[in-house]
Amino acid sequence: MARLTATGGVSKLAEQCAAGATTLKVESDDGMLFPPEGDFMLRIEGDGGHEVVRATARSGDTITITRAQDGTSAMTHPVGADVWCVISHTYLAEMWGAIGGG
């Protein structure tokens, strides 16, 4: 289950994130702006649109991700694409289910 955290981050991709990639790298030293553990949602906004991903782990500036969340599609994102923590529909549904909200 996803967990709510007060620690959220905003950064940019330090490297291209190919559509099949399972990790992304944010700008140098920006990793600490994101939660220290996994299970948080990110939105990546690039030239071709956006994608919501689930972060499952973070080590320094590298974040391990599960692609194509909340009805988005895995896509290639260029260097410099915006990355930020979001509270997505999936995240809210999981929280609602965890508190017995059906």
Side-chain angles (χ1 to χ4, degrees), residues 1-4 38-40 54 90-91 93-99:
M1 179 198 79
R3 62 184 176 76
L4 192 58
D39 211 3
F40 55 94
R54 179 183 298 272
T90 299
Y91 190 94
E94 289 173 1
M95 295 301 289
W96 183 248
I99 61 172

Side-chain angles (χ1 to χ4, degrees), residues 5-21:
T5 177
T7 307
V10 176
S11 186
K12 295 186 179 292
L13 288 179
E15 301 173 353
Q16 177 179 300
C17 183

Side-chain angles (χ1 to χ4, degrees), residues 35-48:
E37 299 173 7
D39 211 3
F40 55 94
M41 304 300 270
L42 298 172
R43 179 178 170 127
I44 309 168
E45 187 78 42
D47 298 335

Side-chain angles (χ1 to χ4, degrees), residues 18-101:
T22 58
T23 62
L24 61 82
K25 187 169 183 176
V26 294
E27 291 183 329
S28 183
D29 297 325
D30 278 1
M32 68 180 144
L33 301 173
F34 294 87
E37 299 173 7
D39 211 3
F40 55 94
M41 304 300 270
L42 298 172
R43 179 178 170 127
I44 309 168
E45 187 78 42
D47 298 335
H50 78 275
E51 178 183 359
V52 176
V53 300
R54 179 183 298 272
T56 57
R58 182 182 65 81
S59 177
D61 297 327
T62 302
I63 301 172
T64 303
I65 56 173
T66 302
R67 306 300 297 260
Q69 303 293 298
D70 275 9
T72 62
S73 298
M75 57 189 351
T76 297
H77 302 284
V79 172
D82 293 320
V83 179
W84 66 89
C85 284
V86 294
I87 298 177
S88 69
H89 173 68
T90 299
Y91 190 94
L92 289 174
E94 289 173 1
M95 295 301 289
W96 183 248
I99 61 172

